[in-house]
Amino acid sequence: ARMRARSKLGAIGFIAQQDLRQLLRERETIVWVFLMPIVFFYFIGTITGGMAEPAGARTEYLALDAPGERGPVVDQLQRRLEEQDFTVHLPDDEGLFEGQRRAIDYRRRLLLPADLPTRIAELEPSMLRFEREDGGIANDLDQFRVTRAVYGLLADLVALGSQGIDVQHPRFAEELAKLNAMPRTIQLDIQPAGKRQIIPSGFDQAIPGILVMFVLMQGLTGTAVLLVVERRQGLLRRLAATPITRGEIVAGKWCARMAMGLVQVAVGLIYGTLFFSMDWGPDFAMLLAVLIAWAGLCASAGLLVGSIGRTEGQVIGLGVMSTMLLAALGGCWWPIEVTPEWMQSLARFLPSGWAMDAMHQLVNFQNGAAAALLPFLWISAAAVVLAALGVKRFRYV
């Protein structure tokens, strides 16, 4: 029995070794496993770097249109806007606000009335108009920050007015500066009630997402095509004539695809760590377990697709289409948290969604290994089911 078991393991290992060697010889494998991941990491991570950045994480220009002479009111407003993490520019009256383009493309604009100091002195209503090129949540946040700066200045003007000091008072600028320098008697101390759930962006989102996508793509295309080629060339038919059993052949094929997936995982982890200083979180062992299970699922899917497909074109088309759909709907390309509710619900039923949920829980949210246990179990169960289907559909011709 021991000799028979050793013989089985030897046959499985031999087939897996030969398939893995053949896969690594392919030019497409070299390109997509060793070269393209770092390109996609950099490209996707760079263009998505601002999807969920908090205020102050990058330069945010705001054009302050203040026609007429600048005075202490405009100076104080500029100061308060800068406290809200805006980089304030004061362009001239022509150009930007007359429809002509300036060297700097201002996406945010705050327009002040020309006679603002006079209107304040005469206690007349004044309208300040904030404009932004796009809308959404970011626009609401900018409006809140601008409003906070404006109302802060208004509160100081009211305080000085109660002392009989208006904008035309000779000591107005001096008293306004003193008021700003005074310590605030009321301070707001904000602390999170629980763990902060920051939506990942940039490389924190791109590297795990692209890693999951590339392992899936390699399983559904490169490794699956090899099975079709071997069937077309009669290599599988020759294997059928050897003393190696059908179960040993299928197991060897699966192990080769599993090993290929692990190579892709290792390349992604190494590139992410060395070139992008990726922090994989405190539960690296659980992260490895999830990625190993994901490699197993992709190996099983590749075995099934390679057994179903009749030609290389069919396999490549099915593999690429499936990879793109699962990557997009599962949250590999963008944080699933920023998508519509229906898309977030759909991701809970997709293998790519399970993998990205586990990656976010471990890498970005760092909620502990237990938080990724359920996605890990779903991935492992799906790998077993797809492997069983692949074994059932496996054919020599």
Side-chain angles (χ1 to χ4, degrees):
R2 289 182 179 178
M3 292 182 63
R4 178 56 184 162
R6 290 178 180 176
S7 176
K8 285 186 175 182
L9 291 177
I12 293 172
F14 173 77
I15 293 175
Q17 180 182 8
Q18 294 302 315
D19 273 22
L20 182 61
R21 183 179 300 175
Q22 181 62 32
L23 285 169
L24 292 175
R25 287 176 179 172
E26 299 292 332
R27 294 181 180 178
E28 293 80 1
T29 301
I30 300 298
V31 171
W32 286 100
V33 173
F34 297 102
L35 299 181
M36 296 307 294
I38 193 170
V39 175
F40 273 72
F41 286 170
Y42 177 78
F43 178 73
I44 302 297
T46 300
I47 65 174
T48 61
M51 289 189 68
E53 288 183 357
R58 54 184 176 145
T59 302
E60 297 181 333
Y61 293 104
L62 183 143
L64 183 60
D65 180 19
E69 294 184 4
R70 291 186 55 177
V73 173
V74 177
D75 291 339
Q76 286 296 327
L77 181 57
Q78 179 180 354
R79 176 178 176 273
R80 291 179 179 276
L81 289 169
E82 290 172 348
E83 289 177 353
Q84 298 300 319
D85 297 316
F86 288 116
T87 299
V88 180
H89 286 243
L90 287 94
D92 52 22
D93 298 340
E94 301 176 355
L96 177 65
F97 300 102
E98 295 297 330
Q100 300 176 9
R101 282 294 180 185
R102 303 280 297 182
I104 299 178
D105 182 19
Y106 296 105
R107 298 173 56 204
R108 306 167 184 85
R109 307 165 184 173
L110 181 61
L111 288 79
L112 309 182
D115 55 347
L116 180 61
T118 303
R119 299 179 69 88
I120 292 176
E122 297 176 358
L123 301 180
E124 295 183 4
S126 302
M127 178 178 292
L128 282 66
R129 189 169 78 251
F130 174 71
E131 297 178 349
R132 180 182 163 121
E133 290 184 358
D134 50 6
I137 297 177
N139 180 53
D140 295 338
L141 177 60
D142 283 346
Q143 287 189 13
F144 173 79
R145 293 156 63 193
V146 170
T147 302
R148 184 177 177 182
V150 171
Y151 276 92
L153 175 59
L154 178 60
D156 284 354
L157 294 177
V158 171
L160 290 178
S162 65
Q163 302 174 18
I165 302 175
D166 59 15
V167 294
Q168 296 178 346
H169 195 281
R171 297 202 319 271
F172 173 75
E174 178 184 351
E175 295 297 327
L176 184 58
K178 288 181 180 179
L179 188 60
N180 274 298
M182 292 177 59
R184 304 300 175 182
T185 56
I186 299 177
Q187 295 184 354
L188 181 62
D189 184 16
I190 302 176
Q191 295 181 356
K195 290 188 176 181
R196 189 179 180 189
Q197 300 288 305
I198 302 177
I199 297 176
S201 64
F203 296 113
D204 291 338
Q205 160 66 28
I207 293 177
I210 298 302
L211 175 57
V212 168
M213 186 187 75
F214 267 59
V215 176
L216 179 62
M217 179 179 292
Q218 182 63 28
L220 292 181
T221 55
T223 61
V225 167
L226 179 62
L227 199 60
V228 176
V229 172
E230 290 177 335
R231 186 181 299 113
R232 177 173 55 81
Q233 294 179 347
L235 298 178
L236 294 181
R237 192 165 54 247
R238 295 179 186 177
L239 278 177
T242 66
I244 304 177
T245 65
R246 185 177 185 274
E248 293 168 355
I249 293 174
V250 175
K253 298 293 183 184
W254 184 89
C255 288
R257 283 143 185 80
M258 175 68 175
M260 196 68 244
L262 294 179
V263 170
Q264 185 84 78
V265 167
V267 169
L269 292 175
I270 292 172
Y271 284 177
T273 303
L274 293 183
F275 297 106
F276 302 97
S277 301
M278 185 69 185
D279 179 11
W280 298 104
D283 299 292
F284 190 70
M286 187 62 185
L287 177 69
L288 284 180
V290 170
L291 290 174
I292 291 172
W294 178 247
L297 186 150
C298 296
S300 301
L303 183 65
L304 177 60
V305 171
S307 299
I308 294 175
R310 296 286 179 177
T311 65
E312 293 94 322
Q314 288 181 355
V315 170
I316 293 175
L318 179 60
V320 171
M321 182 178 65
S322 300
T323 300
M324 296 299 104
L325 285 175
L326 288 172
L329 297 176
C332 296
W333 293 350
W334 42 66
I336 198 66
E337 292 83 1
V338 304
T339 61
E341 187 63 33
W342 68 266
M343 194 169 175
Q344 298 184 41
S345 300
L346 179 61
R348 300 187 185 103
F349 298 93
L350 299 177
S352 54
W354 305 334
M356 289 307 301
D357 182 29
M359 297 288 278
H360 282 186
Q361 295 294 336
L362 295 171
V363 178
N364 297 307
F365 302 151
Q366 299 188 3
N367 286 331
L373 182 59
L374 184 59
F376 168 76
L377 294 176
W378 279 115
I379 293 172
S380 302
V384 173
V385 172
L386 290 177
L389 292 175
V391 170
K392 184 177 181 179
R393 296 299 301 269
F394 181 83
R395 53 193 174 83
Y396 292 106
V397 294

